[in-house]
């Protein structure tokens, strides 16, 4: 009996299906092809209509895609709850938390009515409305108590055994319904030395710790389990805090009266056992960084991923989710196709071949859930008020403001590094540095110029000129001081062009205009730190890989300088810390938003404020969108693609407009532009984070990661590798 080719191997779907025809017959295979065609048509329609939504961006072709000085996202336990608890049950928590405030409002209004000589009908109507809202919230208290108790018990089951979960045979890569409700499935996550089994909802928390699934796969399983145990413990204690707030009682099994509180077995990282909050935060984040750092792979570390976290913010969180979700839909569809083919093989008596297809279907389904659960994190971030800030733009605007308000750096090296950060901030930067890291990791970059273009940086002619100038100065110290005429004589550029470029370099902070008091001659001086880079000096602003070549490529050198400048921009703790101000402001205060499809989402909060009193409408909307994302994958895995919410339906629910005070709804791009003006008018001064400034001076490259946000060395090694010739046949 002949073996059957996989239904999906790379892009060979059609060939694989045809390979099945000889076993199960034409009619059965035709059903599979029609099913795939229906799904492809649905995907095509999504693509056609996506542009009709305000602010919706097309997904990237491949998009797999936090240090207290950097911006944080939703707290890990909030991501866990978004993936674990139904939207209606989750929204009951802020509804019940609102009771004390509603009672204060009612008491104030009743006092005003009592004092009034004439009782107005509108006042009595408002009294009745408040009484009704209080009664409705009071009616939800027992349900909230049940939800909290249920989830605390579920989490406590992990306390002494981080690997308490297992996937029952036949249930890998599938989700189940009970009473017409999808249950949270278990998913297998590959790690460096073996897989671990976790709840789907727990994967929602991982992008706060790892840049992409590949980083998890390169981390020892014990490290990943320890960090997950920390997340579980944090969720457990935060739920108990809610329980104490709402019901005046704690059932925390970790609490000891006379000794330090217990931890979940092996728990690492932030886990809600704070004594001194600031010191605790720094210590716990250092644990996370330690557990995610490996020699030679420092760009995979927690702190480096934090510096690249602009993809958790508008507008990239939407794009990031889209890439993961599209990949998950394809994987789920492939899994369903293989599973259906396996059923056909069983019916035709080919049990052995059917078993092989079922295993592939299970693996593909598991991959689909892993990809979607990881990507769903970014969707959830889109419903946090502080994540509707365009982080990259705010950083650029802050650098520009800082440059006109004293700059940054008190040493030659510090000034050179800030000049490089300023160079990056002056360009039209893309907002997803994580994507660049992903592409470097996957070997998708062929040159420094391609990588520089990926982040929105082109080669400025004065920078290409500086590459030539620094090479000349590295070989001859006298060449560090040049007039435009001398630059022409040295073959760097013609006299007028050299003058233009030298002036631009002075404006950028890379050179100075000087005056020889003896000769009376004016000349241009290339800053020492720029030359040090070409010399490979120890305290150079960055380690150049392209400048020492016998046959120079100044365009590649300029592109590498762009990337090093971008790395300085991302890695500077002062710049990152200032941006945190805007994030925290809108996570705490909330932001009233409108969806791309026109739906009123109301106020969304974030980062320990998601379940804030009165935030139930925003919680419901965001949690429902997250639910739609995962249930679309579950439906496709079940072979019910027609029941899955489409990509365009889900994208239409993303926030696209902001409403402040009694003003009109404006696009999030325009709202961010308003933040720019508010920054200039005073918020940038408020945003100065002196703690981050001290940190930026104390750390290498002014960076909490040590300058590892972008792995330029890995990129250089990748470029140096000769392309392998494929001798295989088609």
């Amino acid at each position: 009996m002949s073996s059957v080719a996989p239904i999906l191997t790379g892009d060979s779907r059609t060939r694989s299906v045809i390979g099945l025809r000889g076993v199960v017959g034409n009619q059965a295979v035709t059903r599979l092809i029609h099913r795939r065609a229906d799904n492809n048509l649905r995907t095509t329609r999504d693509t056609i209509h996506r542009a009709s939504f305000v602010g919706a961006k097309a997904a990237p072709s491949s998009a797999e895609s936090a240090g207290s000085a950097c911006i944080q996202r939703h707290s890990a336990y909030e991501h866990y709850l978004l993936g674990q608890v139904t939207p209606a049950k989750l929204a009951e928590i802020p509804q019940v938390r609102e009771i004390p405030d509603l009672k204060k409002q009612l008491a104030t209004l009743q006092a005003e009515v009592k004092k009034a000589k004439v009782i107005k009908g509108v006042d009595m109507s408002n009294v009745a409305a408040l009484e009704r809202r209080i009664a409705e919230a009071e009616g939800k208290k027992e349900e909230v108590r049940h939800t909290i108790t249920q989830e605390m018990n579920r989490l406590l089951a992990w306390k002494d055994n981080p690997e308490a979960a297992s996937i029952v045979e036949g249930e890998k890569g599938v989700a189940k319904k009970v009473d017409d409700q999808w249950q949270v499935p278990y998913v297998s996550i590959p790690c460096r030395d073996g897989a671990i089994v976790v709840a789907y909802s727990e994967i929602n928390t991982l992008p706060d710790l790892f840049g992409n699934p590949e980083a998890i796969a390169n981390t020892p399983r014990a490290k990943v389990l320890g960090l997950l145990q920390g997340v579980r413990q944090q969720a457990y204690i935060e739920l108990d805090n809610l329980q104490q707030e709402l019901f005046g009682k704690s059932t925390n099994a970790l609490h000891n009266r006379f000794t330090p509180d217990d931890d979940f077995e092996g728990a690492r990282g932030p886990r809600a056992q704070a004594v001194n909050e600031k010191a605790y935060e720094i210590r716990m984040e250092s644990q996370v960084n330690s557990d995610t750092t490996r020699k030679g792979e420092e760009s995979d570390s927690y702190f480096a991923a934090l510096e690249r976290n602009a993809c958790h913010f508008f507008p990239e969180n939407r794009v990031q989710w889209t890439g993961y979700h599209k990949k998950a839909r394809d994987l789920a569809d492939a899994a369903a196709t293989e599973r259906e083919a396996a059923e056909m093989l069983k019916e035709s008596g080919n049990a052995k071949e059917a078993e092989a297809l079922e295993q592939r279907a299970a693996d593909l389904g598991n991959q689909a859930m892993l990809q979607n659960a990881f990507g769903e994190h970014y969707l959830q971030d889109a419903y946090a008020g502080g994540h509707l800030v365009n982080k990259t733009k705010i950083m650029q605007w802050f650098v520009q403001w800082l440059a006109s308000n004293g700059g940054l750096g008190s040493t030659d090296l510090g000034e050179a590094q800030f000049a490089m950060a300023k160079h990056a901030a002056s360009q039209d930067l893309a907002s997803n540095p994580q994507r660049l890291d992903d592409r470097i990791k996957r070997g998708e970059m062929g040159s420094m110029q391609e990588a520089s273009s990926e982040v929105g940086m082109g080669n400025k002619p004065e920078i290409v000129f500086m590459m030539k100038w620094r090479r000349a100065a590295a070989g001859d110290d006298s060449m560090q001081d040049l007039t435009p005429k001398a630059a022409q004589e040295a073959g760097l550029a013609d006299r007028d062009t050299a003058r233009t470029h030298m002036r631009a370099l002075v404006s950028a902070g890379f050179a100075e205009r000087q005056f020889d008091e003896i000769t009376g001659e004016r000349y241009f001086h290339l800053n020492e730190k720029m030359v040090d880079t070409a010399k490979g000096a120890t305290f150079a602003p960055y380690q150049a890989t392209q400048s020492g070549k016998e046959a120079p490529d100044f365009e590649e050198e300029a592109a590498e300088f762009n990337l090093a400048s971008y790395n300085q921009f991302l890695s500077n703790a002062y710049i990152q810390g200032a941006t945190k101000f805007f994030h925290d402001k809108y996570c705490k205060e909330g932001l009233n938003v409108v969806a791309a499809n026109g739906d009123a989402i109301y106020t969304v909060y974030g980062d320990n404020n998601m379940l804030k009193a009165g935030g139930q409408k925003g919680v419901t909307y965001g949690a429902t969108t997250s639910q739609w994302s995962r249930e679309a994958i579950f439906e496709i895995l079940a072979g019910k693609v027609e029941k899955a919410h489409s990509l365009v339906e889900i994208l239409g629910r993303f926030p696209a407009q902001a409403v402040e005070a009694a003003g009109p709804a404006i696009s999030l791009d325009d709202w961010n532009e308003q933040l720019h003006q508010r920054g200039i008018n005073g918020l940038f001064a408020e945003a100065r984070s002196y703690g981050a400034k001290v940190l930026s001076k104390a750390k290498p490259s002014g960076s909490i990661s040590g300058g590892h946000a972008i792995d330029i060395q890995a990129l250089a090694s990748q470029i140096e590798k000769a392309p392998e010739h494929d001798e295989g046949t088609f």
Side-chain angles (χ1 to χ4, degrees), residues 411-525:
T411 64
D412 289 346
L413 178 59
E415 289 176 354
Q417 290 171 335
F418 181 67
M420 292 175 70
K422 190 170 61 172
H423 168 64
S426 70
Q427 302 207 36
D428 187 17
L429 297 179
S431 294
N432 195 344
Q434 182 59 52
R435 176 172 165 81
L436 173 60
D437 181 71
D438 292 344
R439 295 196 64 192
I440 292 174
K441 295 289 195 309
R442 300 187 196 113
E444 296 175 358
M445 289 295 176
S447 68
M448 292 288 174
Q449 293 176 76
E450 184 182 0
S452 179
S453 295
E454 174 70 30
V455 299
M457 297 185 72
N459 283 350
K460 291 186 175 183
E462 64 266 26
I463 301 302
V464 178
F465 174 82
M466 186 171 70
M467 299 301 102
K468 300 176 182 179
W469 187 3
R470 75 178 188 180
R471 183 180 179 91
D476 181 352
D477 290 345
S478 68
M479 297 293 286
Q480 195 170 344
D481 299 327
L482 291 176
T483 63
K485 180 181 178 181
Q488 177 175 289
E489 292 170 349
L492 302 183
D494 66 72
R495 184 173 180 172
D496 289 341
T497 301
R499 180 182 291 109
T500 298
H501 292 338
M502 288 169 154
R503 286 174 174 173
L505 292 173
V506 170
S507 296
F510 300 128
E512 299 171 355
R513 298 195 69 160
Q514 296 191 355
F515 177 75
D516 190 322
E517 294 182 355
I518 298 176
T519 65
E521 186 177 42
R522 295 183 180 276
Y523 61 93
F524 292 89
H525 172 78

Side-chain angles (χ1 to χ4, degrees), residues 605-649:
Y605 300 93
D607 288 25
N608 288 314
N609 290 281
M610 182 185 81
L611 300 176
K612 193 171 182 176
Q616 54 267 32
K617 290 182 178 178
V619 168
T620 299
Y621 200 92
T624 299
T625 311
S626 186
Q627 183 183 49
W628 282 19
S629 169
R630 59 182 171 271
E631 292 190 355
I633 304 305
F634 299 166
E635 294 285 8
I636 296 171
L637 284 169
K640 306 291 184 181
V641 65
E642 71 282 357
K643 290 186 176 183
H645 286 286
S646 70
L647 185 64
V648 73
E649 286 179 302

